[in-house]
């Protein structure tokens, strides 16, 4: 059984937005390290979109409220690991529902929002969870020790798993 990575990217080029919708681009799943790299890449390409749409002075509590009011959890399609830019998440996702994505898409959103709001990048981490260290099944963001997981009812609340790992971005 093959698992593929599906990347939806929006790039800004010479002050002109060109959308590269890679709905047909499926690459073999490159492994956890590359997936984490793509999450950070997608967050980096999304910072300007977050600034334009949500501003630059958001606290963690503000980011939590913005996310909770706009994000909708939807599983990726079977055998596809989809990592969306924030613009794609809100404007052109495969679910055709603005804000629909899963935990890695929410992590892209959170990192982009934290960067847009000038939070200290050295204090932002990706927090992996799962039943074991070989197959993490959930990802969220940690900023200065505060967990931001939009699948949970409140900020700094996380799921209970046997395994976790914290990775600096």
């Amino acid at each position: 059984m093959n698992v593929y990575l599906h990347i939806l990217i929006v790039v800004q080029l010479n002050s002109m937005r060109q959308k590269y919708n890679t709905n047909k681009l499926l690459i073999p799943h490159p492994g956890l390290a590359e997936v984490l790299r793509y999450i950070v890449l997608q967050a980096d390409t999304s910072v300007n979109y977050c600034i334009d749409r949500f501003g630059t002075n958001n606290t963690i509590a503000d980011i939590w409220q913005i996310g909770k009011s706009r994000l909708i959890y939807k599983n990726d399609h079977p055998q596809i690991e989809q990592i969306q830019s924030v613009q794609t998440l809100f404007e052109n996702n495969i679910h055709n529902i603005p804000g629909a994505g899963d935990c890695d898409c929410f992590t892209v959103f959170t990192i982009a929002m934290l960067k847009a709001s000038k939070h200290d990048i050295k204090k932002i981490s990706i927090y992996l969870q799962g039943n074991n260290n070989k197959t993490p099944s959930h990802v969220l963001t940690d900023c200065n020790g505060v967990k931001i997981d939009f699948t949970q009812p409140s900020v700094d609340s996380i799921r209970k798993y046997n395994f976790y790992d914290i990775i600096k971005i």
Side-chain angles (χ1 to χ4, degrees):
M1 177 170 33
N2 292 328
V3 178
Y4 294 94
L5 181 66
H6 181 202
I7 308 164
L8 297 173
I9 302 175
V10 174
V11 209
Q12 187 171 6
L13 222 49
N14 298 328
S15 301
M16 183 174 103
R17 290 185 194 258
Q18 291 186 347
K19 186 172 189 180
Y20 295 91
N21 187 343
T22 58
N23 285 332
K24 296 180 194 243
L25 174 64
L26 297 175
I27 61 174
H29 197 286
L32 181 60
E34 279 298 290
V35 169
L36 294 173
R37 191 177 74 75
Y38 285 123
I39 287 172
V40 174
L41 173 67
Q42 289 290 55
D44 288 345
T45 65
S46 299
V47 171
N48 287 337
Y49 180 83
C50 290
I51 289 170
D52 293 345
R53 185 156 180 177
F54 304 111
T56 60
N57 294 314
N58 293 300
T59 65
I60 291 174
D62 295 333
I63 293 168
W64 174 259
Q65 289 303 319
I66 291 166
K68 280 306 272 187
S69 66
R70 290 172 174 83
L71 298 174
I72 301 163
Y73 190 90
K74 291 281 186 187
N75 287 320
D76 287 334
H77 290 303
Q79 305 308 312
I80 302 287
E81 182 60 54
Q82 180 179 347
I83 302 171
Q84 304 179 83
S85 68
V86 177
Q87 184 170 358
T88 301
L89 178 68
F90 286 110
E91 297 181 9
N92 187 31
N93 65 58
I94 61 172
H95 304 290
N96 293 315
I97 302 168
D102 69 352
C103 58
D104 46 40
C105 300
F106 296 173
T107 299
V108 169
F109 168 80
T110 307
I111 293 170
M113 288 292 290
L114 290 165
K115 287 184 172 187
S117 294
K118 311 281 189 273
H119 287 266
D120 186 352
I121 293 172
K122 293 176 187 168
K123 295 182 179 178
I124 302 172
S125 301
I126 294 175
Y127 194 94
L128 296 172
Q129 294 182 300
N131 291 321
N132 62 61
N133 65 351
K134 301 210 185 314
T135 54
S137 55
H138 189 59
V139 61
L140 58 122
T141 310
D142 179 290
C143 183
N144 203 23
V146 178
K147 312 303 182 282
I148 305 168
D149 181 355
F150 291 106
T151 69
Q152 293 299 293
S154 61
V155 71
D156 213 20
S157 171
I158 60 172
R159 297 178 185 194
K160 302 296 181 212
Y161 281 105
N162 295 329
F163 162 80
Y164 74 91
D165 194 9
I166 300 171
I167 297 153
K168 293 288 185 193
I169 62 167

